[in-house]
Amino acid sequence: MVTAPERVWWRVPVSRAEMVWIVLAFLLVMVFFSLWMALWHGIGRQNATGAAYKVAPQTYREEVFAFARQWKVGEENGIPVVAPPPGSHVYLLAQRFSWYPILKLKAGETYHLHMASTDVLHGFSLSPHQWAIQLYPGYEWVMSFTPDKPGTYHIICNDFCGLGHQTMLGKIIVEG
Amino acid sequence: MASASASAGYRVCPVTGLKVFLPTERLIQAVAVSAVVALLIGGIAALFVVLNRWLGPDVVAPSRFYMWIALHGWNMLVFWIVLFEVALLYFASSVLLSTRLVWPRLAWVSLGLMVVGVALTDVAVVRTPQNYLSFQPYVPLQGTPDFYLGPILFTVGSLSALAVFFATIYTAQKEKVVGRSLPLVVYGAAVAAIIAVATLVVGAMAFIPAFLWSLGLVGSVDAFWWKLTYWGFGHPAQQINLAAMITVWYFLAYITVGGVTPSEKVSRLAFVCYLVAINLGSAHHLQTEASGALSVPWKWINTGYLVHLAVLGSMIHAFAVPAAIEIGQRLRGHGQGWFRWLIKAPWGNPAFSSLVLSIALFGFLGGTSGVIYGTEQPNLLWHNTLAVVGHFKGTVVLGTTLAFMGVTWYVLPLIFRRQVVGRPLAVVQPWLFGVGMALLAVAFMKLGVADGVPRKQGDIFLFGGSAFAFPYPAHVWAWMAVAGIGGLLGVLGGAIFVGLVVGTVLMGKRLSEAELKGGYGLPGAVPAPVGGAVHSLPVPKGTLVLTIIFWLFFLAMYLRAFAQLSSTWPLGH
Ligand SMILES: [Cu+2]
Ligand SMILES: [Cu+2]
């Protein structure tokens, strides 16, 4: 290994033990792992499937404000609480260092979630933990989702967005 | 006292019989010392990062945390590892091939550039909060120009070192110092070097526009495009660390127990797997982006089949390296039963215990977690949580860094020709560092996957006093304490390492040729040569049992990740 191989190394047959391992490893990673990824799109219910659009920050901001005005039911810490009807399109805006608005949703109903940043990269994540989505300025994602368990979910920005990053929290309320 | 057989400018190593070119030796010393300085800076930063996470913002304020984590990331993941790799490349090309290093002057210039790059970046980070961008300086957050210039200079320096490496091998082959087949260890180093060239070129493609943009010479850089190209650099950079680590594994298996790979052909082929599709790993950093931006088939091909080909390479090494140890031991009289070779191994040799810990912890913690969270759907659970940190503590810390620390116990007597000071501390160092960092890695993975605790967060206690602040459940703090204690043990293990290396280089007893010849000052006994020609290698049946256990663990963890994901809110259906 440290000196040049003495025998013609490409002619030395592979031992049975190593052959067994190579076959096992191949089946696991090249066959099972690779296929399973595609399979989960059929049998699984959690995939980052959704539309993507290029959007100017100002345009997106106006979309979100119009949405919040339409379904506003209250206010918390200066952020509107918004209760859109089940099955509708709901909007979330990420900007340094807040999430806008607060969403009030019905458990078990499906919504079409629009998400974008208007300044730098942010990370959408929830506590209790569900999943995390990377957000960009200039790009709008639309993903359908079903909040199936009631409760209060805190939105935590999980990508560094500046010195106030640790304060960037929001909220989604899921009613039973 | 130089041996009679040594020609001008060389000495003959009394232990290995290799001809050591003296300018190479001086270079390796200087590069290795620079690497350890970077490790020291990164280690000091690690202490503050751990204290903030565990004890909160009163102990280390959030803004300080961002500074420390930026310093930690750059010095550990880039400066320490790359500098050490450069030392390895000089060693593999010039020392292992017993040949002269061509262009030694360029090698010194390269070291100078890298050191200036380190200094520029570190000073830039400490000087202004604009540069607390960590290792992922995502556009459009903007650093100051010196923040981008530092890594660019470091990159140019590393590329020059690679040029010296390739020119040395080319010259050695042209002058018939070596034959057409390189030794496996040199071959592995060459693979790491080829990946490094591709990586650094892409790195320049990412950092040069950002540098120009920070100077105001370019209008803007698209955020999405930047993240894709940035990881075109960031991902293969980890493939270099992987290839270098595996190379060190083979070297350590040889020098500690006289290891022999079960098949030169298979081991070489596994290295080739790393070369294929190295850049496409970039894609698995964009798994939570909507499929409208990056389609499902695109993700499937890139992060499935293509990345898994590199994973297959690692799986092959996962068998071949332990098998090399087992074969070495069996050839030397520890052939009875299934695991006697392992029990009778030189556990008192810190290089050997580093090797075994590095293999086991990289495999079970770093490797498996990387494959799982690089997969499209589990990534939704892992993305930007502490679990990601847990994963790369398993790869670059428990794997690469531990392996590099292990080989250092040989570098000190053989290249610096000094006796390691504080030998008993050196024996416990791998265990302290390995067990401590493993605790932290496991706790972080738990905190990330189960509780979604974010990674780049300076205050998970009070969220900087946000009106929407909420408390994490009690079990989060219990696991954070595990991580904190593990982190402190790791920092202690790292401090012992740096202390012993600095102590040895400055005050270690100089070893004479006769002392080295007798094995004195080496971390372990030199494996005895095997008498007679070896026609067929012993069967590594113990390794096969161990790897099958690993295989089952891997499958179980993979399925568990999907089970965890399936309990979250349905998404994208
Ligand atoms: Cu943030
Ligand atoms: Cu990667």
mmCIF file of all heavy atoms in Angstrom, chain A residues 1 9 21 24 34 37 45-47 50 129 131-132 134 136 144 146 149 159 165-166, chain B residues 66 181 227 288-289 292 300 308 315 377 380-381 456 551 567-569 571-573:
data_model
loop_
_atom_site.group_PDB
_atom_site.id
_atom_site.type_symbol
_atom_site.label_atom_id
_atom_site.label_comp_id
_atom_site.label_asym_id
_atom_site.label_seq_id
_atom_site.Cartn_x
_atom_site.Cartn_y
_atom_site.Cartn_z
ATOM 1 N N MET A 1 0.832 -1.208 0.000
ATOM 2 C CA MET A 1 0.000 0.000 0.000
ATOM 3 C C MET A 1 0.862 1.252 0.000
ATOM 4 O O MET A 1 0.525 2.246 -0.614
ATOM 5 C CB MET A 1 -0.902 0.021 1.246
ATOM 6 C CG MET A 1 -1.823 -1.179 1.299
ATOM 7 S SD MET A 1 -3.137 -1.013 2.521
ATOM 8 C CE MET A 1 -2.235 -0.743 4.027
ATOM 9 N N TRP A 9 -1.257 -5.827 -10.226
ATOM 10 C CA TRP A 9 -2.384 -5.728 -9.312
ATOM 11 C C TRP A 9 -3.744 -5.913 -9.965
ATOM 12 O O TRP A 9 -4.665 -6.409 -9.355
ATOM 13 C CB TRP A 9 -2.323 -4.423 -8.507
ATOM 14 C CG TRP A 9 -2.231 -3.161 -9.327
ATOM 15 C CD1 TRP A 9 -1.103 -2.499 -9.673
ATOM 16 C CD2 TRP A 9 -3.317 -2.414 -9.893
ATOM 17 N NE1 TRP A 9 -1.385 -1.395 -10.416
ATOM 18 C CE2 TRP A 9 -2.740 -1.317 -10.574
ATOM 19 C CE3 TRP A 9 -4.711 -2.550 -9.913
ATOM 20 C CZ2 TRP A 9 -3.512 -0.371 -11.258
ATOM 21 C CZ3 TRP A 9 -5.470 -1.611 -10.581
ATOM 22 C CH2 TRP A 9 -4.884 -0.548 -11.240
ATOM 23 N N TRP A 21 -19.124 -8.442 0.252
ATOM 24 C CA TRP A 21 -19.360 -7.088 0.747
ATOM 25 C C TRP A 21 -19.723 -6.116 -0.382
ATOM 26 O O TRP A 21 -20.635 -5.296 -0.251
ATOM 27 C CB TRP A 21 -18.136 -6.573 1.522
ATOM 28 C CG TRP A 21 -18.317 -5.147 1.917
ATOM 29 C CD1 TRP A 21 -17.666 -4.065 1.418
ATOM 30 C CD2 TRP A 21 -19.272 -4.630 2.859
ATOM 31 N NE1 TRP A 21 -18.137 -2.914 1.986
ATOM 32 C CE2 TRP A 21 -19.127 -3.225 2.878
ATOM 33 C CE3 TRP A 21 -20.236 -5.227 3.681
ATOM 34 C CZ2 TRP A 21 -19.907 -2.400 3.699
ATOM 35 C CZ3 TRP A 21 -21.012 -4.401 4.496
ATOM 36 C CH2 TRP A 21 -20.842 -3.012 4.494
ATOM 37 N N LEU A 24 -23.298 -6.631 -1.366
ATOM 38 C CA LEU A 24 -24.208 -6.103 -0.340
ATOM 39 C C LEU A 24 -24.261 -4.576 -0.388
ATOM 40 O O LEU A 24 -25.339 -3.970 -0.341
ATOM 41 C CB LEU A 24 -23.740 -6.539 1.059
ATOM 42 C CG LEU A 24 -24.037 -7.974 1.474
ATOM 43 C CD1 LEU A 24 -23.413 -8.252 2.839
ATOM 44 C CD2 LEU A 24 -25.539 -8.223 1.513
ATOM 45 N N SER A 34 -31.260 4.499 -3.855
ATOM 46 C CA SER A 34 -31.560 5.341 -5.013
ATOM 47 C C SER A 34 -33.016 5.182 -5.459
ATOM 48 O O SER A 34 -33.678 6.166 -5.783
ATOM 49 C CB SER A 34 -30.610 5.018 -6.168
ATOM 50 O OG SER A 34 -29.278 5.321 -5.781
ATOM 51 N N MET A 37 -35.811 6.858 -2.983
ATOM 52 C CA MET A 37 -36.014 8.302 -3.128
ATOM 53 C C MET A 37 -37.156 8.598 -4.090
ATOM 54 O O MET A 37 -37.982 9.472 -3.845
ATOM 55 C CB MET A 37 -34.752 8.932 -3.724
ATOM 56 C CG MET A 37 -33.818 9.522 -2.737
ATOM 57 S SD MET A 37 -32.321 10.059 -3.579
ATOM 58 C CE MET A 37 -32.726 11.754 -3.885
ATOM 59 N N ARG A 45 -45.797 11.106 1.987
ATOM 60 C CA ARG A 45 -46.625 12.302 1.982
ATOM 61 C C ARG A 45 -45.815 13.558 2.276
ATOM 62 O O ARG A 45 -46.368 14.621 2.523
ATOM 63 C CB ARG A 45 -47.749 12.153 3.012
ATOM 64 C CG ARG A 45 -48.582 10.882 2.773
ATOM 65 C CD ARG A 45 -50.059 11.163 2.780
ATOM 66 N NE ARG A 45 -50.547 11.554 4.093
ATOM 67 C CZ ARG A 45 -51.597 12.346 4.299
ATOM 68 N NH1 ARG A 45 -52.254 12.841 3.272
ATOM 69 N NH2 ARG A 45 -51.990 12.632 5.530
ATOM 70 N N GLN A 46 -44.494 13.438 2.328
ATOM 71 C CA GLN A 46 -43.658 14.603 2.583
ATOM 72 C C GLN A 46 -42.615 14.725 1.475
ATOM 73 O O GLN A 46 -41.651 13.971 1.438
ATOM 74 C CB GLN A 46 -42.945 14.501 3.944
ATOM 75 C CG GLN A 46 -43.845 14.638 5.152
ATOM 76 C CD GLN A 46 -44.572 13.339 5.506
ATOM 77 O OE1 GLN A 46 -44.272 12.286 4.970
ATOM 78 N NE2 GLN A 46 -45.535 13.424 6.401
ATOM 79 N N ASN A 47 -42.833 15.659 0.573
ATOM 80 C CA ASN A 47 -41.895 15.918 -0.511
ATOM 81 C C ASN A 47 -41.884 17.426 -0.783
ATOM 82 O O ASN A 47 -42.904 18.082 -0.610
ATOM 83 C CB ASN A 47 -42.332 15.197 -1.788
ATOM 84 C CG ASN A 47 -42.119 13.692 -1.691
ATOM 85 O OD1 ASN A 47 -41.003 13.203 -1.715
ATOM 86 N ND2 ASN A 47 -43.215 12.949 -1.558
ATOM 87 N N GLY A 50 -43.499 21.384 -5.523
ATOM 88 C CA GLY A 50 -44.232 22.649 -5.567
ATOM 89 C C GLY A 50 -43.705 23.547 -6.661
ATOM 90 O O GLY A 50 -42.622 23.329 -7.199
ATOM 91 N N HIS A 129 -41.136 20.451 15.765
ATOM 92 C CA HIS A 129 -40.448 20.284 14.495
ATOM 93 C C HIS A 129 -41.307 19.576 13.437
ATOM 94 O O HIS A 129 -41.855 18.516 13.705
ATOM 95 C CB HIS A 129 -39.185 19.469 14.750
ATOM 96 C CG HIS A 129 -38.244 19.407 13.586
ATOM 97 N ND1 HIS A 129 -38.061 20.454 12.708
ATOM 98 C CD2 HIS A 129 -37.395 18.426 13.168
ATOM 99 C CE1 HIS A 129 -37.166 20.115 11.801
ATOM 100 N NE2 HIS A 129 -36.749 18.894 12.055
ATOM 101 N N TRP A 131 -40.808 20.420 9.214
ATOM 102 C CA TRP A 131 -39.766 20.375 8.177
ATOM 103 C C TRP A 131 -39.244 21.774 7.969
ATOM 104 O O TRP A 131 -39.842 22.752 8.423
ATOM 105 C CB TRP A 131 -40.285 19.800 6.855
ATOM 106 C CG TRP A 131 -41.771 19.816 6.690
ATOM 107 C CD1 TRP A 131 -42.618 18.759 6.840
ATOM 108 C CD2 TRP A 131 -42.604 20.953 6.353
ATOM 109 N NE1 TRP A 131 -43.917 19.145 6.627
ATOM 110 C CE2 TRP A 131 -43.935 20.488 6.321
ATOM 111 C CE3 TRP A 131 -42.357 22.275 6.078
ATOM 112 C CZ2 TRP A 131 -45.014 21.306 6.028
ATOM 113 C CZ3 TRP A 131 -43.435 23.115 5.797
ATOM 114 C CH2 TRP A 131 -44.740 22.618 5.771
ATOM 115 N N ALA A 132 -38.112 21.879 7.295
ATOM 116 C CA ALA A 132 -37.473 23.174 7.046
ATOM 117 C C ALA A 132 -37.411 23.427 5.547
ATOM 118 O O ALA A 132 -37.243 22.492 4.759
ATOM 119 C CB ALA A 132 -36.071 23.181 7.634
ATOM 120 N N GLN A 134 -35.744 26.226 2.620
ATOM 121 C CA GLN A 134 -34.862 27.370 2.361
ATOM 122 C C GLN A 134 -35.589 28.427 1.528
ATOM 123 O O GLN A 134 -36.206 28.091 0.524
ATOM 124 C CB GLN A 134 -33.632 26.890 1.584
ATOM 125 C CG GLN A 134 -32.604 27.968 1.330
ATOM 126 C CD GLN A 134 -31.629 28.080 2.475
ATOM 127 O OE1 GLN A 134 -30.907 27.159 2.796
ATOM 128 N NE2 GLN A 134 -31.619 29.240 3.125
ATOM 129 N N TYR A 136 -35.444 32.302 -0.514
ATOM 130 C CA TYR A 136 -34.525 33.221 -1.194
ATOM 131 C C TYR A 136 -35.248 34.518 -1.531
ATOM 132 O O TYR A 136 -36.453 34.506 -1.776
ATOM 133 C CB TYR A 136 -34.067 32.627 -2.535
ATOM 134 C CG TYR A 136 -33.299 31.352 -2.437
ATOM 135 C CD1 TYR A 136 -33.956 30.138 -2.272
ATOM 136 C CD2 TYR A 136 -31.921 31.356 -2.522
ATOM 137 C CE1 TYR A 136 -33.243 28.955 -2.189
ATOM 138 C CE2 TYR A 136 -31.207 30.177 -2.455
ATOM 139 C CZ TYR A 136 -31.868 28.978 -2.289
ATOM 140 O OH TYR A 136 -31.163 27.809 -2.211
ATOM 141 N N SER A 144 -48.182 22.826 -1.309
ATOM 142 C CA SER A 144 -49.379 22.534 -0.524
ATOM 143 C C SER A 144 -48.966 21.772 0.729
ATOM 144 O O SER A 144 -47.981 21.019 0.716
ATOM 145 C CB SER A 144 -50.361 21.718 -1.355
ATOM 146 O OG SER A 144 -49.730 20.541 -1.780
ATOM 147 N N THR A 146 -50.589 20.168 4.797
ATOM 148 C CA THR A 146 -51.740 19.869 5.639
ATOM 149 C C THR A 146 -51.301 19.852 7.102
ATOM 150 O O THR A 146 -50.691 18.877 7.541
ATOM 151 C CB THR A 146 -52.331 18.485 5.267
ATOM 152 O OG1 THR A 146 -52.490 18.425 3.848
ATOM 153 C CG2 THR A 146 -53.667 18.253 5.947
ATOM 154 N N LYS A 149 -51.997 18.321 12.973
ATOM 155 C CA LYS A 149 -52.115 18.228 14.435
ATOM 156 C C LYS A 149 -52.340 19.625 15.002
ATOM 157 O O LYS A 149 -51.576 20.541 14.697
ATOM 158 C CB LYS A 149 -50.831 17.617 15.033
ATOM 159 C CG LYS A 149 -50.603 16.166 14.610
ATOM 160 C CD LYS A 149 -49.222 15.647 15.013
ATOM 161 C CE LYS A 149 -48.088 16.220 14.196
ATOM 162 N NZ LYS A 149 -47.879 15.630 12.882
ATOM 163 N N ASP A 159 -31.707 30.089 8.992
ATOM 164 C CA ASP A 159 -30.480 30.414 8.274
ATOM 165 C C ASP A 159 -30.028 31.809 8.674
ATOM 166 O O ASP A 159 -30.859 32.714 8.792
ATOM 167 C CB ASP A 159 -30.656 30.319 6.758
ATOM 168 C CG ASP A 159 -29.360 29.859 6.104
ATOM 169 O OD1 ASP A 159 -28.281 30.161 6.659
ATOM 170 O OD2 ASP A 159 -29.425 29.188 5.061
ATOM 171 N N HIS A 165 -30.678 37.873 13.717
ATOM 172 C CA HIS A 165 -31.225 36.579 13.277
ATOM 173 C C HIS A 165 -31.910 35.803 14.407
ATOM 174 O O HIS A 165 -32.986 35.225 14.208
ATOM 175 C CB HIS A 165 -30.086 35.772 12.661
ATOM 176 C CG HIS A 165 -30.348 34.325 12.500
ATOM 177 N ND1 HIS A 165 -31.407 33.843 11.768
ATOM 178 C CD2 HIS A 165 -29.680 33.237 12.971
ATOM 179 C CE1 HIS A 165 -31.372 32.515 11.805
ATOM 180 N NE2 HIS A 165 -30.353 32.134 12.521
ATOM 181 N N GLN A 166 -31.309 35.828 15.606
ATOM 182 C CA GLN A 166 -31.872 35.023 16.705
ATOM 183 C C GLN A 166 -33.259 35.499 17.140
ATOM 184 O O GLN A 166 -33.973 34.773 17.830
ATOM 185 C CB GLN A 166 -30.907 34.977 17.895
ATOM 186 C CG GLN A 166 -30.730 36.279 18.654
ATOM 187 C CD GLN A 166 -29.719 37.223 17.995
ATOM 188 O OE1 GLN A 166 -29.192 36.933 16.924
ATOM 189 N NE2 GLN A 166 -29.459 38.346 18.635
ATOM 190 N N TYR B 66 -21.793 34.630 16.736
ATOM 191 C CA TYR B 66 -21.666 34.624 15.272
ATOM 192 C C TYR B 66 -20.213 34.846 14.862
ATOM 193 O O TYR B 66 -19.740 34.286 13.876
ATOM 194 C CB TYR B 66 -22.581 35.681 14.636
ATOM 195 C CG TYR B 66 -24.053 35.426 14.907
ATOM 196 C CD1 TYR B 66 -24.874 36.426 15.418
ATOM 197 C CD2 TYR B 66 -24.612 34.171 14.673
ATOM 198 C CE1 TYR B 66 -26.219 36.187 15.686
ATOM 199 C CE2 TYR B 66 -25.944 33.924 14.936
ATOM 200 C CZ TYR B 66 -26.750 34.931 15.443
ATOM 201 O OH TYR B 66 -28.061 34.693 15.707
ATOM 202 N N SER B 181 2.761 2.206 -11.865
ATOM 203 C CA SER B 181 1.775 2.091 -10.791
ATOM 204 C C SER B 181 2.294 2.769 -9.529
ATOM 205 O O SER B 181 3.319 2.376 -8.979
ATOM 206 C CB SER B 181 1.497 0.621 -10.473
ATOM 207 O OG SER B 181 0.769 0.043 -11.516
ATOM 208 N N LYS B 227 -25.937 30.030 -4.290
ATOM 209 C CA LYS B 227 -25.956 28.880 -3.391
ATOM 210 C C LYS B 227 -25.601 27.594 -4.144
ATOM 211 O O LYS B 227 -24.883 26.737 -3.629
ATOM 212 C CB LYS B 227 -27.314 28.745 -2.692
ATOM 213 C CG LYS B 227 -27.241 27.806 -1.487
ATOM 214 C CD LYS B 227 -28.568 27.585 -0.802
ATOM 215 C CE LYS B 227 -28.467 26.400 0.153
ATOM 216 N NZ LYS B 227 -29.763 25.813 0.461
ATOM 217 N N THR B 288 -34.437 21.214 -0.178
ATOM 218 C CA THR B 288 -35.698 21.765 0.337
ATOM 219 C C THR B 288 -36.231 22.841 -0.603
ATOM 220 O O THR B 288 -37.252 23.437 -0.336
ATOM 221 C CB THR B 288 -35.533 22.351 1.749
ATOM 222 O OG1 THR B 288 -34.863 23.619 1.654
ATOM 223 C CG2 THR B 288 -34.748 21.429 2.658
ATOM 224 N N GLU B 289 -35.533 23.089 -1.695
ATOM 225 C CA GLU B 289 -36.003 24.047 -2.675
ATOM 226 C C GLU B 289 -37.120 23.398 -3.488
ATOM 227 O O GLU B 289 -37.061 22.207 -3.798
ATOM 228 C CB GLU B 289 -34.846 24.473 -3.593
ATOM 229 C CG GLU B 289 -33.903 25.508 -2.981
ATOM 230 C CD GLU B 289 -33.003 24.992 -1.841
ATOM 231 O OE1 GLU B 289 -33.138 23.822 -1.426
ATOM 232 O OE2 GLU B 289 -32.173 25.775 -1.366
ATOM 233 N N GLY B 292 -40.294 22.964 -8.480
ATOM 234 C CA GLY B 292 -40.467 23.834 -9.639
ATOM 235 C C GLY B 292 -39.156 24.502 -10.033
ATOM 236 O O GLY B 292 -38.953 24.882 -11.184
ATOM 237 N N TRP B 300 -33.136 13.467 -8.261
ATOM 238 C CA TRP B 300 -33.019 12.012 -8.144
ATOM 239 C C TRP B 300 -31.701 11.523 -8.750
ATOM 240 O O TRP B 300 -30.964 10.749 -8.136
ATOM 241 C CB TRP B 300 -34.229 11.363 -8.825
ATOM 242 C CG TRP B 300 -34.312 9.877 -8.678
ATOM 243 C CD1 TRP B 300 -33.817 9.124 -7.641
ATOM 244 C CD2 TRP B 300 -34.925 8.969 -9.579
ATOM 245 N NE1 TRP B 300 -34.099 7.804 -7.841
ATOM 246 C CE2 TRP B 300 -34.771 7.671 -9.025
ATOM 247 C CE3 TRP B 300 -35.598 9.110 -10.796
ATOM 248 C CZ2 TRP B 300 -35.270 6.535 -9.658
ATOM 249 C CZ3 TRP B 300 -36.088 7.980 -11.418
ATOM 250 C CH2 TRP B 300 -35.928 6.702 -10.851
ATOM 251 N N HIS B 308 -24.527 8.433 -4.855
ATOM 252 C CA HIS B 308 -24.410 7.100 -4.258
ATOM 253 C C HIS B 308 -23.241 6.299 -4.831
ATOM 254 O O HIS B 308 -22.746 5.372 -4.200
ATOM 255 C CB HIS B 308 -25.732 6.344 -4.402
ATOM 256 C CG HIS B 308 -26.796 6.904 -3.506
ATOM 257 N ND1 HIS B 308 -28.130 6.676 -3.681
ATOM 258 C CD2 HIS B 308 -26.704 7.717 -2.427
ATOM 259 C CE1 HIS B 308 -28.820 7.312 -2.747
ATOM 260 N NE2 HIS B 308 -27.969 7.952 -1.983
ATOM 261 N N MET B 315 -18.124 2.773 0.939
ATOM 262 C CA MET B 315 -18.514 1.474 1.492
ATOM 263 C C MET B 315 -17.403 0.451 1.248
ATOM 264 O O MET B 315 -17.103 -0.392 2.103
ATOM 265 C CB MET B 315 -19.821 0.990 0.845
ATOM 266 C CG MET B 315 -21.037 1.830 1.170
ATOM 267 S SD MET B 315 -21.630 1.621 2.861
ATOM 268 C CE MET B 315 -22.667 0.173 2.687
ATOM 269 N N GLN B 377 -35.865 13.510 0.797
ATOM 270 C CA GLN B 377 -36.921 13.743 1.777
ATOM 271 C C GLN B 377 -36.438 13.894 3.225
ATOM 272 O O GLN B 377 -36.857 14.856 3.884
ATOM 273 C CB GLN B 377 -37.997 12.659 1.647
ATOM 274 C CG GLN B 377 -38.667 12.649 0.271
ATOM 275 C CD GLN B 377 -37.975 11.723 -0.722
ATOM 276 O OE1 GLN B 377 -36.923 11.174 -0.432
ATOM 277 N NE2 GLN B 377 -38.560 11.549 -1.897
ATOM 278 N N LEU B 380 -35.537 17.331 4.539
ATOM 279 C CA LEU B 380 -36.540 18.280 5.033
ATOM 280 C C LEU B 380 -36.515 18.370 6.559
ATOM 281 O O LEU B 380 -36.821 19.404 7.138
ATOM 282 C CB LEU B 380 -37.941 17.846 4.572
ATOM 283 C CG LEU B 380 -38.245 18.003 3.080
ATOM 284 C CD1 LEU B 380 -39.457 17.170 2.699
ATOM 285 C CD2 LEU B 380 -38.456 19.461 2.733
ATOM 286 N N LEU B 381 -36.156 17.259 7.199
ATOM 287 C CA LEU B 381 -36.079 17.240 8.666
ATOM 288 C C LEU B 381 -34.753 17.799 9.179
ATOM 289 O O LEU B 381 -34.673 18.328 10.276
ATOM 290 C CB LEU B 381 -36.172 15.790 9.166
ATOM 291 C CG LEU B 381 -37.512 15.171 9.467
ATOM 292 C CD1 LEU B 381 -37.286 13.750 9.963
ATOM 293 C CD2 LEU B 381 -38.265 15.953 10.522
ATOM 294 N N LYS B 456 -27.511 27.760 13.225
ATOM 295 C CA LYS B 456 -26.803 29.050 13.169
ATOM 296 C C LYS B 456 -27.527 30.061 14.045
ATOM 297 O O LYS B 456 -27.969 31.097 13.576
ATOM 298 C CB LYS B 456 -26.747 29.554 11.729
ATOM 299 C CG LYS B 456 -26.196 28.556 10.731
ATOM 300 C CD LYS B 456 -26.426 29.030 9.299
ATOM 301 C CE LYS B 456 -26.021 27.983 8.277
ATOM 302 N NZ LYS B 456 -26.363 28.374 6.903
ATOM 303 N N TRP B 551 -23.835 -2.600 8.025
ATOM 304 C CA TRP B 551 -24.819 -2.594 6.932
ATOM 305 C C TRP B 551 -26.240 -2.568 7.503
ATOM 306 O O TRP B 551 -27.088 -1.788 7.069
ATOM 307 C CB TRP B 551 -24.593 -3.856 6.084
ATOM 308 C CG TRP B 551 -25.291 -3.922 4.761
ATOM 309 C CD1 TRP B 551 -24.780 -3.560 3.558
ATOM 310 C CD2 TRP B 551 -26.610 -4.426 4.495
ATOM 311 N NE1 TRP B 551 -25.697 -3.793 2.561
ATOM 312 C CE2 TRP B 551 -26.824 -4.323 3.098
ATOM 313 C CE3 TRP B 551 -27.639 -4.951 5.284
ATOM 314 C CZ2 TRP B 551 -28.006 -4.730 2.482
ATOM 315 C CZ3 TRP B 551 -28.814 -5.346 4.665
ATOM 316 C CH2 TRP B 551 -28.997 -5.241 3.289
ATOM 317 N N SER B 567 -44.210 11.248 10.221
ATOM 318 C CA SER B 567 -45.104 11.745 11.269
ATOM 319 C C SER B 567 -45.248 13.267 11.230
ATOM 320 O O SER B 567 -45.936 13.849 12.060
ATOM 321 C CB SER B 567 -44.598 11.298 12.638
ATOM 322 O OG SER B 567 -43.418 12.011 12.951
ATOM 323 N N THR B 568 -44.588 13.922 10.285
ATOM 324 C CA THR B 568 -44.713 15.387 10.206
ATOM 325 C C THR B 568 -45.871 15.779 9.290
ATOM 326 O O THR B 568 -46.453 14.932 8.614
ATOM 327 C CB THR B 568 -43.421 16.031 9.672
ATOM 328 O OG1 THR B 568 -43.203 15.573 8.335
ATOM 329 C CG2 THR B 568 -42.222 15.660 10.529
ATOM 330 N N TRP B 569 -46.199 17.075 9.266
ATOM 331 C CA TRP B 569 -47.283 17.563 8.412
ATOM 332 C C TRP B 569 -47.048 17.132 6.957
ATOM 333 O O TRP B 569 -45.952 17.366 6.431
ATOM 334 C CB TRP B 569 -47.312 19.101 8.412
ATOM 335 C CG TRP B 569 -47.717 19.734 9.696
ATOM 336 C CD1 TRP B 569 -48.172 19.134 10.824
ATOM 337 C CD2 TRP B 569 -47.698 21.147 9.968
ATOM 338 N NE1 TRP B 569 -48.442 20.074 11.784
ATOM 339 C CE2 TRP B 569 -48.158 21.316 11.284
ATOM 340 C CE3 TRP B 569 -47.333 22.278 9.232
ATOM 341 C CZ2 TRP B 569 -48.275 22.574 11.880
ATOM 342 C CZ3 TRP B 569 -47.445 23.519 9.819
ATOM 343 C CH2 TRP B 569 -47.914 23.667 11.132
ATOM 344 N N LEU B 571 -46.643 17.359 3.145
ATOM 345 C CA LEU B 571 -46.137 18.500 2.381
ATOM 346 C C LEU B 571 -46.013 18.116 0.908
ATOM 347 O O LEU B 571 -45.569 17.021 0.587
ATOM 348 C CB LEU B 571 -44.758 18.899 2.915
ATOM 349 C CG LEU B 571 -43.977 19.956 2.123
ATOM 350 C CD1 LEU B 571 -44.585 21.334 2.330
ATOM 351 C CD2 LEU B 571 -42.515 19.957 2.533
ATOM 352 N N GLY B 572 -46.411 19.028 0.044
ATOM 353 C CA GLY B 572 -46.178 18.853 -1.390
ATOM 354 C C GLY B 572 -46.896 17.666 -1.996
ATOM 355 O O GLY B 572 -46.401 17.035 -2.905
ATOM 356 N N HIS B 573 -48.074 17.340 -1.452
ATOM 357 C CA HIS B 573 -48.791 16.165 -1.936
ATOM 358 C C HIS B 573 -49.938 16.563 -2.857
ATOM 359 O O HIS B 573 -50.270 17.724 -2.970
ATOM 360 C CB HIS B 573 -49.336 15.353 -0.753
ATOM 361 C CG HIS B 573 -50.127 16.190 0.203
ATOM 362 N ND1 HIS B 573 -51.485 16.258 0.204
ATOM 363 C CD2 HIS B 573 -49.715 17.059 1.155
ATOM 364 C CE1 HIS B 573 -51.882 17.108 1.148
ATOM 365 N NE2 HIS B 573 -50.833 17.604 1.723
#
